Amino acid sequence: MSMKCALVTGGSRGIGRAVCQKMSAMGYYVLINYKGNETEANKTLSLIKEVGGNGELLRFDVSNKEEIKSVLGNWIEKNPDNYIEVLVNNAGIKDDGLMIFMKDEQWDNVIATNLDGFFYTTRMVLQGMLMKKYGRIINVVSLSGLKGLPGQTNYSAAKAGIIGATKALAQEVGRKGVTVNAVAPGFIKTDMTEGLDEKELQSIIPVKRFGTAEEVAHAVGFLASSEAGYVTGHVLSINGGLYS
Ligand code: NAP
C-alpha cells in the first residue's frame, strides 16, 4: 500500500520540526531531513511517533547537490510506490555581516544552502509530482528577502531569489496540479534568533512579540492542504505586522 509522503528539509529543529509535526498531523509519512544534528532529528521523529504518526530520517546537506542526488535520489528509486506529495524547503542558514566586510565563504555558504538547496531538492522531487499530477511545494523564505535587511545582503539575496523562483515555477507547473508558494517569517523564536533581544525588538513589532514555530507551521499546513489548490505563486508573510 502506498503512503502519502512529505519531505521537510531542516526538520530536526525550530520551524522545520514544527512543520514535520504538522505534516504528520495531516496524515503524512514524514521524511525528516537534517544536516548533522542526529539527536534533534531523532527527537522530531519521536515527537511524531508519540502521537501515532510515522516517518524516517533522511540525512543530506542541501548545499551539496551530489548528496541530494545520492540520498534523496536513492530514496525515490527505492520507493517507487511512495511519491513525495508535499515538499517543504525549510533548511536555511544565515551568516550576517556588512557587505564591505563579507567574506567569500559567507556569501557562498548562505547562497548554497538557501538558494541552491531549494533548486536541487525541488528539481529532484518535482518529477514525481508532475507524473502524479498533484503536489504542494512550500518554500520558507524570510522578511529579509522581501524588505532587505542591513547586514544580510547574502541572506536577503538568497531568500529573494527563492521568491522569484517560487513565482516562476508556480507558472510552469500550475496546470499539472502542483502549487508553489512561500511563507516569509519575521522574527520567530528558534535557535536562529537566539542572540536577538526580543524585549528591544518587540517595540517595532505591531503584535509585540516574536512568533512561534507552530504559527509558521500552521500557515505551511494551509498551503500544503488540498483545499489550497487555487493559491499558487504567493508569498505569505508571518511577521506580526512588521512589514507588508
Ligand atoms: P534553525 O532553528 O537554525 O534550524 C535550521 C534547520 O536547518 C536545522 O534543522 C538544520 O539541521 C537545518 N539545516 C541547516 N543547514 C542545512 C543543510 N545544509 N542541509 C540540511 N539541513 C540544514 O532555523 P529556523 O529558525 O527553524 O529556520 C528555518 C527556516 O526559516 C530557515 O530557512 C530560515 O532562514 C527561515 N527563517 C527563520 C526565521 C526565524 O526568525 N527563526 C525568520 C525568517 C526565516 P541540523 O539540525 O542538522 O543542523
Side-chain angles (χ1 to χ4, degrees), residues 12-29:
S12 51
R13 291 182 282 128
I15 293 169
R17 170 179 287 164
V19 171
C20 286
Q21 292 176 283
K22 171 61 80 178
M23 290 301 114
S24 176
M26 289 170 72
Y28 284 100
Y29 179 87

Side-chain angles (χ1 to χ4, degrees), residues 98-218:
L98 295 176
M99 184 158 168
I100 192 78
F101 302 120
M102 192 173 283
K103 297 191 175 67
D104 292 5
E105 311 87 79
Q106 281 176 288
W107 177 266
D108 293 343
N109 292 341
V110 168
I111 298 290
T113 303
N114 294 285
L115 186 55
D116 296 350
F118 151 79
F119 173 72
Y120 290 110
T121 307
T122 305
R123 193 176 61 179
M124 181 137 275
V125 169
L126 201 52
Q127 201 174 353
M129 292 181 175
L130 296 178
M131 272 162 54
K132 297 281 183 180
K133 296 195 168 55
Y134 182 87
R136 295 282 179 265
I137 298 169
I138 299 104
N139 302 316
V140 182
V141 294
S142 172
L143 166 78
S144 185
L146 286 168
K147 182 181 178 290
L149 291 179
Q152 294 196 325
T153 49
N154 50 359
Y155 186 76
S156 295
K159 295 300 194 185
I162 303 173
I163 290 170
T166 299
K167 294 178 180 181
L169 183 59
Q171 294 173 62
E172 288 183 16
V173 299
R175 69 197 170 91
K176 294 281 190 184
V178 179
T179 64
V180 191
N181 291 288
V183 293
F187 294 106
I188 308 298
K189 259 184 260 185
T190 68
D191 293 347
M192 190 177 265
T193 51
E194 199 158 61
L196 300 180
D197 186 346
E198 183 174 354
K199 283 227 161 58
E200 192 189 308
L201 285 163
Q202 69 192 13
S203 65
I204 58 165
I205 304 169
V207 305
K208 299 294 167 208
R209 62 173 177 85
F210 279 13
T212 65
E214 288 70 27
E215 286 172 319
V216 179
H218 183 70

